[in-house]
Amino acid sequence: MEVAKKVRITVLSDNFTSTIIPPLIGEWGFSAFIEADGVGVLYDVGNSGLPVVHNAEALGIDLRRDVDYVILSHGHSDHTGGLANQKLREALKGKVVIAHPNVFEKKFLSWRGRLDYIGIPLTKEEMEREFRLVLTREPLEFAKGVMFAGEVKSYGFPRYTKGLLKSSSEGVEQDELLDDVPLYVNTPKGLVIITGCGHSGILNIIRHAKEVTGVEKVYAVLGGFHLLSSPSEHVDEVMKVLEGEADVIGPAHCSGFRARLTRKFVDAGVGSVIEIA
């Protein structure tokens, strides 16, 4: 895998904001803008898209001009719901959108006796009319040093799919979230792994990253680790392994507060900027 010599990551949407000036807004969901040797990548579009639009403008990021690619980490609405935001759609119109084919499955959350729809707001046909859609299950290095991870295999570590369902020809069934796809960026300091929710399991994701990129050194892991509802003992076990793998750890979105207690913690809330060169 090639190396992107200059990388800058700006978190545009998350549950928490990290700056007071300029005033930024957050929401449940995630989105990050990655610049890698002049190529702009928007990874996820948040829940409503409002923070993405507002925060990008406040931080001097022109979505229409600066974004070359849009990556959808998976089909849940807290990562794809921003596609229903007309202003955001207009800014991104005509961009290349890369995702796993399962991103368009009808997805549901089973919670306290309720079944709520939590899927992507647009159909495949609607997406194809407005964007240049690329669907793949395989890893794809679409820019120098930047890889769409493809389908993450299991390496014996837990995946996080409890209560998550999808519709099928036979009704509703467990969703294994095979469309949960991280982004791998190869930098001079090693791999930077960016996750949306981490349903695949952050430890599976790291093993997969090393396998498909051929790079052993992991510099940073940022984004959702989906440990929010996990027992504290499990969170501690995962974070202990993670500390042995990465130099910088930025738990965001659905990671939970306990994951932020790591000695390698870096803030990955709205407005956070991480630069690697």
Side-chain angles (χ1 to χ4, degrees):
M1 185 177 180
E2 292 192 78
V3 177
K5 295 180 180 179
K6 187 176 182 181
V7 176
R8 179 183 172 94
I9 301 165
T10 305
V11 179
L12 293 180
S13 187
D14 185 54
N15 313 353
F16 304 98
T17 59
S18 301
T19 66
I20 299 175
I21 300 173
L24 305 177
I25 57 176
E27 68 176 358
W28 177 260
F30 189 74
S31 177
F33 177 64
I34 300 100
E35 300 165 273
D37 287 350
V39 175
V41 181
L42 185 64
Y43 182 72
D44 282 342
V45 293
N47 204 333
S48 71
L50 179 60
V52 178
V53 173
H54 172 88
N55 297 335
E57 184 175 353
L59 295 169
I61 298 169
D62 186 325
L63 296 171
R64 190 184 305 274
R65 179 196 65 206
D66 299 336
V67 173
D68 298 295
Y69 298 91
V70 179
I71 307 299
L72 300 179
S73 68
H74 62 300
H76 286 161
S77 57
D78 49 344
H79 300 262
T80 64
L83 291 170
N85 185 302
Q86 192 62 37
K87 189 172 182 179
L88 180 57
R89 280 232 304 279
E90 288 175 1
L92 300 177
K93 189 172 183 178
K95 307 291 185 184
V96 176
V97 176
I98 306 175
H100 187 286
N102 291 13
V103 75
F104 293 108
E105 292 178 328
K106 294 189 180 302
K107 296 176 181 293
F108 301 88
L109 171 66
S110 178
W111 175 250
R112 295 181 177 177
R114 293 181 53 182
L115 195 64
D116 294 324
Y117 179 75
I118 56 168
I120 189 170
L122 300 181
T123 65
K124 180 183 176 184
E125 291 71 28
E126 289 172 324
M127 290 286 289
E128 287 176 328
R129 284 198 292 269
E130 296 191 37
F131 307 100
R132 291 180 284 168
L133 189 60
V134 177
L135 300 177
T136 178
R137 299 175 185 272
E138 301 300 321
L140 176 64
E141 187 174 353
F142 59 90
K144 179 183 175 182
V146 186
M147 179 181 286
F148 176 81
E151 207 164 283
V152 176
K153 298 188 294 186
S154 293
Y155 297 85
F157 300 110
R159 300 177 74 97
Y160 304 99
T161 60
K162 184 179 179 181
L164 300 173
L165 308 172
K166 65 178 182 179
S167 61
S168 69
S169 58
E170 299 180 358
V172 178
E173 62 183 34
Q174 175 72 31
D175 188 359
E176 296 302 325
L177 269 296
L178 297 180
D179 53 319
D180 179 69
V181 179
L183 192 71
Y184 302 149
V185 185
N186 194 19
T187 78
K189 294 184 178 180
L191 284 177
V192 174
I193 298 172
I194 306 169
T195 69
C197 254
H199 290 287
S200 302
I202 192 63
L203 301 184
N204 288 318
I205 288 170
I206 288 177
R207 187 73 63 85
H208 180 262
K210 293 180 179 182
E211 180 177 317
V212 299
T213 65
V215 179
E216 283 295 315
K217 169 65 177 176
V218 176
Y219 172 65
V221 183
L222 313 166
F225 300 167
H226 216 279
L227 296 171
L228 180 62
S229 301
S230 296
S232 57
E233 296 82 2
H234 176 70
V235 177
D236 292 344
E237 289 173 5
V238 171
M239 297 309 296
K240 184 177 180 180
V241 176
L242 202 52
E243 286 179 347
E245 292 280 1
D247 297 337
V248 172
I249 302 173
H253 181 39
C254 55
S255 301
F257 282 107
R258 195 172 185 89
R260 296 165 64 93
L261 300 178
T262 171
R263 58 189 173 85
K264 295 185 174 182
F265 173 78
V266 63
D267 196 346
V270 172
S272 295
V273 176
I274 298 164
E275 295 185 277
I276 308 105

